[in-house]
């Protein structure tokens, strides 16, 4: 890779690659990297040197976490694909992807998303299908003013993704009060997304108890 400094597009999908070498840091002009369907277990911090990346395909691997420093530096990314991995959580630095329009997180172990997701103001498509442990969305998701497609099919056994109030948003102490707060927060989020004509498919509870239409 040391000799590929002018490379802008690199497709390495379906090659049984287990490690992405640190030499990837030499690819400073890279605009698209596709390493889907390999055996990667981690994302090297060296990838943070590829600051011109616009499309990053990491789907269908074994990745358990994405380094915060990588997300903090890849501010030009417009598409980030992390589906079919082993992610338990995303760092707050996901909010650095202010130009990202498409984020695919389906088939992971995620339970929720960071509040910083609200900083991804360009986001128009968000996919969290088949995340069996996913239980709630942060209420800050309502700030995603350009979101047009939200898919949350086959989430937690309840088949219902609620909203999670941001820290400090509620001081209710009783269980019933917390439930009312979550319900009200969920209604506000759905009303916000409906107002911007966002398509909600599966998982997220619609008004009147009806779920969004499935494909």
């Amino acid at each position: 890779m040391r000799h590929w400094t002018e490379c802008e597009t690199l497709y390495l999908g379906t090659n049984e690659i287990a490690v992405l070498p640190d030499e990837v840091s030499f690819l400073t002009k890279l605009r698209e990297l596709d390493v889907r369907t390999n055996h990667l277990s981690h994302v090297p911090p060296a990838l943070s040197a590829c600051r011109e990346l616009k499309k990053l395909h990491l789907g269908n691997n074994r990745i358990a976490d994405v380094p915060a420093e990588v997300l903090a530096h890849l501010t030009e990314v417009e598409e980030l694909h992390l589906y079919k991995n082993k992610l338990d959580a995303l760092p707050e630095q996901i909010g650095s992807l202010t130009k990202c329009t498409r984020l695919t997180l389906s088939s992971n172990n995620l339970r929720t998303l960071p509040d910083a997701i609200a900083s991804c103001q360009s986001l128009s498509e968000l996919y969290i299908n088949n995340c069996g442990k996913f239980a709630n969305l942060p209420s800050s998701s309502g700030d995603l003013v350009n979101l047009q497609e939200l898919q949350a099919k086959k989430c937690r056994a309840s088949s219902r993704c609620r909203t999670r109030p941001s820290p400090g948003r509620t001081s209710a102490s009783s269980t019933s009060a917390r439930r009312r707060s979550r319900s009200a927060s969920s209604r506000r989020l759905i009303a916000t997304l409906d107002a911007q004509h966002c398509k909600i498919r599966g998982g997220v509870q619609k008004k009147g108890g009806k779920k969004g239409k499935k494909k």
Side-chain angles (χ1 to χ4, degrees):
M1 288 186 176
R2 292 173 181 269
H3 305 293
W4 300 355
T5 55
E6 299 299 315
C7 180
E8 294 186 2
T9 304
L10 183 58
Y11 297 120
L12 297 171
T14 318
N15 275 298
E16 300 186 0
I17 297 172
V19 177
L20 193 60
D22 288 339
E23 282 79 6
V24 71
S25 63
F26 290 97
L27 309 183
T28 56
K29 294 186 179 181
L30 199 62
R31 295 170 66 86
E32 182 172 358
L33 175 61
D34 190 334
V35 288
R36 75 184 88 183
T37 314
N38 279 294
H39 301 315
L40 299 175
S41 59
H42 73 283
V43 178
L47 189 60
S48 61
C50 302
R51 301 188 183 186
E52 298 300 315
L53 269 176
K54 291 187 177 297
K55 294 182 180 181
L56 180 55
H57 300 266
L58 297 168
N60 200 16
N61 278 286
R62 303 169 182 174
I63 298 169
D65 67 272
V66 180
E69 63 190 279
V70 171
L71 293 178
H73 288 96
L74 300 187
T75 56
E76 296 298 314
V77 165
E78 296 174 357
E79 290 188 19
L80 176 59
H81 302 279
L82 286 163
Y83 60 88
K84 289 187 180 180
N85 276 293
K86 298 181 181 298
L87 296 171
D88 292 314
L90 291 174
E92 289 289 333
Q93 284 75 11
I94 191 71
S96 299
L97 306 185
T98 57
K99 296 182 180 180
C100 185
T101 61
R102 190 177 190 189
L103 179 59
T104 62
L105 302 169
S106 299
S107 299
N108 275 289
N109 299 320
L110 297 169
R111 296 178 182 275
T112 187
L113 298 178
D115 289 310
I117 192 69
S119 297
C120 300
Q121 290 290 293
S122 298
L123 196 63
S124 60
E125 298 177 40
L126 175 59
Y127 301 92
I128 48 178
N129 298 313
N130 199 35
C131 290
K133 297 179 181 180
F134 201 93
N136 50 52
L137 287 163
S139 56
S140 62
S141 302
D143 294 331
L144 297 174
V145 295
N146 289 304
L147 193 63
Q148 295 297 305
E149 178 95 12
L150 170 60
Q151 289 195 16
K153 301 174 184 177
K154 297 183 180 180
C155 281
R156 201 168 181 173
S158 63
S159 297
R160 178 179 174 183
C161 291
R162 298 180 294 273
T163 55
R164 170 176 57 80
S166 299
R169 295 273 180 108
T170 178
S171 59
S173 58
S174 68
T175 300
S176 59
R178 286 196 296 270
R179 287 176 177 171
R180 288 195 298 272
S181 177
R182 285 197 298 266
S183 179
S185 180
S186 179
R187 288 195 297 272
R188 286 194 297 271
L189 174 58
I190 296 304
T192 299
L193 296 178
D194 280 344
Q196 62 198 46
H197 306 293
C198 176
K199 295 179 182 178
I200 303 174
R201 302 182 186 278
V204 179
Q205 195 77 3
K206 295 287 284 183
K207 293 179 180 178
K210 296 181 180 180
K211 298 177 184 176
K213 294 181 180 179
K214 297 184 179 181
K215 284 184 177 180

